[in-house]
Amino acid sequence: MTYTAKSPNEAGDAAGLVNGLFSALAFAGVIYAIFLQRNELELQRKELTDTRAEFQIQNETLKRQRFENTFFNMLQLQQQITDNITYSHAYNKENVIYGNNPDTTRFSQVKVDLKGREVFYGAFESVPHEASDGEDYYGMRGLLEKDGMRGYEDNFTPTYFDHYFRHLYRIFKFVATSPLINEEDRYEYASMVRGQLSRYELIWLYYNGLSAYGQEKFKPLIEKFALLKNLRIDMLVEDIEIKNPYTKYAYSHR
């Protein structure tokens, strides 16, 4: 077999072909490395996003727990305040004595002690209240019928509920302004508190919010959270002049 030497041009072409092949392979390797690196970066980015989302969820959960710890402690304290309300009053009971002197009338003093939620009922419906004419009327209802809101504001009975209303206001204020919950949750928490109020607590709340005691601060919260939603309108005193009545939102959520 006869060997024929390659010309310089043929040798150069072969070397160029080999170099080109190695260059292509090297370029492909670079592309593959970039592809792997991009995938790795995508995985890292996704992992970071998931971590941030999980952290956000944990953070929101911790914030809600902090809120609820304070909220339910306040509810418990409010219940204690309600249970500890006391109201005592005495009245003269008329007794007709029959015998040697028929139709002889004598009076005996009767003392009544009210406690807890029964105070809201008794003070509004049965406890005697002296009106501007010097006469006694049954309950705050009778005083409101005689003297209107002025009778409520000038009477001593509402002061029995001062601590009750101050703390109840603080609960709703906390729900309305706490940065630990979002706007959508505020009404739900306020509804939990409202659901614990008895019929006569709602009546006292109604008049407290209209009075000089609660009109500036408590009345806006009553309207914001529809705190009178469960109020029995028929249990209110009729024909009282109200200078600054509640908006419809006090009775129905926006």
Side-chain angles (χ1 to χ4, degrees), residues 10 14 32 34 39 96 99 107 113 135 144 169 177 183-184 197 204 207 220 248:
E10 290 177 337
Y32 182 68
I34 293 174
N39 285 346
V96 179
F107 294 91
D113 296 315
E135 297 292 329
L144 285 165
Y169 166 79
T177 60
E183 290 299 322
E184 296 177 357
L197 303 180
W204 280 97
Y207 290 111
K248 62 180 181 180

Short mmCIF file of all heavy atoms in Angstrom, two decimals, residues 10 14 32 34 39 96 99 107 113 135 144 169 177 183-184 197 204 207 220 248:
data_model
loop_
_atom_site.label_atom_id
_atom_site.label_comp_id
_atom_site.label_asym_id
_atom_site.label_seq_id
_atom_site.Cartn_x
_atom_site.Cartn_y
_atom_site.Cartn_z
N GLU A 10 -4.71 20.14 3.76
CA GLU A 10 -5.57 19.06 4.26
C GLU A 10 -5.36 18.88 5.76
O GLU A 10 -6.30 18.65 6.51
CB GLU A 10 -5.26 17.76 3.52
CG GLU A 10 -5.71 17.79 2.06
CD GLU A 10 -5.31 16.51 1.33
OE1 GLU A 10 -4.35 15.87 1.81
OE2 GLU A 10 -6.00 16.16 0.37
N ALA A 14 -8.13 19.35 8.74
CA ALA A 14 -8.45 18.33 9.76
C ALA A 14 -8.31 18.89 11.16
O ALA A 14 -9.14 18.64 12.04
CB ALA A 14 -7.51 17.13 9.56
N TYR A 32 -24.95 23.75 28.78
CA TYR A 32 -25.54 22.79 29.72
C TYR A 32 -25.32 23.25 31.17
O TYR A 32 -26.20 23.13 32.03
CB TYR A 32 -24.92 21.41 29.50
CG TYR A 32 -25.49 20.34 30.40
CD1 TYR A 32 -26.81 19.92 30.25
CD2 TYR A 32 -24.70 19.76 31.39
CE1 TYR A 32 -27.33 18.95 31.09
CE2 TYR A 32 -25.22 18.78 32.23
CZ TYR A 32 -26.54 18.38 32.07
OH TYR A 32 -27.06 17.41 32.89
N ILE A 34 -24.95 26.33 32.12
CA ILE A 34 -25.84 27.47 32.35
C ILE A 34 -27.26 26.98 32.62
O ILE A 34 -27.97 27.48 33.49
CB ILE A 34 -25.82 28.42 31.14
CG1 ILE A 34 -24.45 29.09 31.03
CG2 ILE A 34 -26.93 29.46 31.24
CD1 ILE A 34 -24.28 29.94 29.79
N ASN A 39 -31.65 26.14 36.39
CA ASN A 39 -32.59 25.28 37.11
C ASN A 39 -32.35 25.33 38.62
O ASN A 39 -33.30 25.36 39.42
CB ASN A 39 -32.46 23.84 36.63
CG ASN A 39 -33.11 23.62 35.27
OD1 ASN A 39 -33.86 24.48 34.80
ND2 ASN A 39 -32.82 22.49 34.63
N VAL A 96 -102.12 46.35 105.00
CA VAL A 96 -103.43 46.71 105.55
C VAL A 96 -103.74 45.77 106.71
O VAL A 96 -103.78 44.54 106.53
CB VAL A 96 -104.54 46.63 104.48
CG1 VAL A 96 -105.89 46.99 105.10
CG2 VAL A 96 -104.20 47.55 103.32
N GLY A 99 -108.78 44.03 111.98
CA GLY A 99 -108.98 43.66 113.38
C GLY A 99 -109.84 44.69 114.07
O GLY A 99 -110.92 45.07 113.56
N PHE A 107 -96.82 50.49 107.13
CA PHE A 107 -95.79 50.30 106.12
C PHE A 107 -94.59 49.57 106.74
O PHE A 107 -94.21 49.85 107.88
CB PHE A 107 -95.32 51.63 105.53
CG PHE A 107 -96.38 52.35 104.75
CD1 PHE A 107 -97.22 53.27 105.37
CD2 PHE A 107 -96.55 52.09 103.40
CE1 PHE A 107 -98.20 53.93 104.65
CE2 PHE A 107 -97.53 52.76 102.68
CZ PHE A 107 -98.35 53.67 103.31
N ASP A 113 -81.80 43.27 97.09
CA ASP A 113 -80.40 43.23 96.63
C ASP A 113 -80.34 42.56 95.26
O ASP A 113 -80.79 41.42 95.10
CB ASP A 113 -79.54 42.45 97.62
CG ASP A 113 -79.45 43.13 98.98
OD1 ASP A 113 -79.25 44.36 99.00
OD2 ASP A 113 -79.60 42.43 100.00
N GLU A 135 -91.44 63.05 92.36
CA GLU A 135 -92.15 61.78 92.47
C GLU A 135 -91.24 60.62 92.06
O GLU A 135 -90.32 60.79 91.26
CB GLU A 135 -93.40 61.79 91.59
CG GLU A 135 -94.43 62.83 91.97
CD GLU A 135 -95.08 62.53 93.31
OE1 GLU A 135 -95.21 61.32 93.65
OE2 GLU A 135 -95.44 63.48 94.03
N LEU A 144 -87.13 57.94 82.27
CA LEU A 144 -86.99 58.36 80.88
C LEU A 144 -88.31 58.87 80.32
O LEU A 144 -88.35 59.84 79.56
CB LEU A 144 -86.46 57.20 80.03
CG LEU A 144 -84.98 56.86 80.18
CD1 LEU A 144 -84.68 55.50 79.58
CD2 LEU A 144 -84.11 57.93 79.53
N TYR A 169 -66.21 49.28 76.36
CA TYR A 169 -65.68 50.19 75.33
C TYR A 169 -64.26 49.81 74.96
O TYR A 169 -63.90 49.78 73.77
CB TYR A 169 -65.73 51.63 75.84
CG TYR A 169 -64.91 52.58 75.00
CD1 TYR A 169 -65.38 53.07 73.79
CD2 TYR A 169 -63.63 52.99 75.42
CE1 TYR A 169 -64.63 53.94 73.01
CE2 TYR A 169 -62.87 53.85 74.66
CZ TYR A 169 -63.37 54.32 73.45
OH TYR A 169 -62.60 55.16 72.68
N THR A 177 -59.00 48.71 66.47
CA THR A 177 -57.72 49.35 66.15
C THR A 177 -56.52 48.41 66.18
O THR A 177 -55.43 48.82 65.77
CB THR A 177 -57.44 50.49 67.15
OG1 THR A 177 -57.39 49.96 68.48
CG2 THR A 177 -58.53 51.55 67.07
N GLU A 183 -59.06 43.82 58.55
CA GLU A 183 -60.36 44.49 58.61
C GLU A 183 -61.51 43.51 58.52
O GLU A 183 -62.56 43.70 59.12
CB GLU A 183 -60.46 45.53 57.49
CG GLU A 183 -59.57 46.75 57.68
CD GLU A 183 -59.92 47.52 58.95
OE1 GLU A 183 -61.13 47.62 59.28
OE2 GLU A 183 -59.00 48.00 59.62
N GLU A 184 -61.33 42.43 57.76
CA GLU A 184 -62.42 41.47 57.57
C GLU A 184 -62.76 40.74 58.86
O GLU A 184 -63.90 40.31 59.06
CB GLU A 184 -62.03 40.46 56.49
CG GLU A 184 -61.85 41.07 55.10
CD GLU A 184 -61.39 40.04 54.09
OE1 GLU A 184 -61.17 38.89 54.48
OE2 GLU A 184 -61.27 40.40 52.90
N LEU A 197 -74.25 39.82 75.12
CA LEU A 197 -75.01 40.85 75.81
C LEU A 197 -76.47 40.45 75.92
O LEU A 197 -77.10 40.05 74.94
CB LEU A 197 -74.88 42.19 75.07
CG LEU A 197 -73.45 42.71 74.86
CD1 LEU A 197 -73.48 44.04 74.12
CD2 LEU A 197 -72.72 42.86 76.20
N TRP A 204 -79.47 49.27 78.03
CA TRP A 204 -78.59 50.23 78.72
C TRP A 204 -77.50 50.74 77.79
O TRP A 204 -77.11 51.91 77.84
CB TRP A 204 -77.98 49.60 79.96
CG TRP A 204 -78.92 49.56 81.13
CD1 TRP A 204 -79.70 48.52 81.54
CD2 TRP A 204 -79.19 50.64 82.04
NE1 TRP A 204 -80.44 48.88 82.64
CE2 TRP A 204 -80.14 50.17 82.99
CE3 TRP A 204 -78.72 51.94 82.16
CZ2 TRP A 204 -80.63 50.97 84.02
CZ3 TRP A 204 -79.20 52.73 83.20
CH2 TRP A 204 -80.14 52.25 84.11
N TYR A 207 -78.98 53.57 75.53
CA TYR A 207 -79.10 54.88 76.15
C TYR A 207 -77.74 55.44 76.57
O TYR A 207 -77.54 56.66 76.53
CB TYR A 207 -80.06 54.81 77.35
CG TYR A 207 -81.49 54.60 76.92
CD1 TYR A 207 -82.15 53.40 77.19
CD2 TYR A 207 -82.18 55.57 76.20
CE1 TYR A 207 -83.46 53.19 76.77
CE2 TYR A 207 -83.49 55.38 75.79
CZ TYR A 207 -84.12 54.17 76.07
OH TYR A 207 -85.41 53.97 75.64
N PRO A 220 -69.79 55.90 68.08
CA PRO A 220 -69.23 55.50 66.77
C PRO A 220 -68.90 54.01 66.69
O PRO A 220 -69.05 53.41 65.61
CB PRO A 220 -67.95 56.35 66.69
CG PRO A 220 -68.23 57.54 67.54
CD PRO A 220 -69.04 57.01 68.68
N LYS A 248 -78.42 54.01 60.70
CA LYS A 248 -78.96 52.67 60.47
C LYS A 248 -77.92 51.58 60.67
O LYS A 248 -78.25 50.41 60.89
CB LYS A 248 -79.50 52.57 59.04
CG LYS A 248 -78.43 52.77 57.96
CD LYS A 248 -79.04 52.67 56.57
CE LYS A 248 -77.96 52.86 55.49
NZ LYS A 248 -78.56 52.75 54.13
#
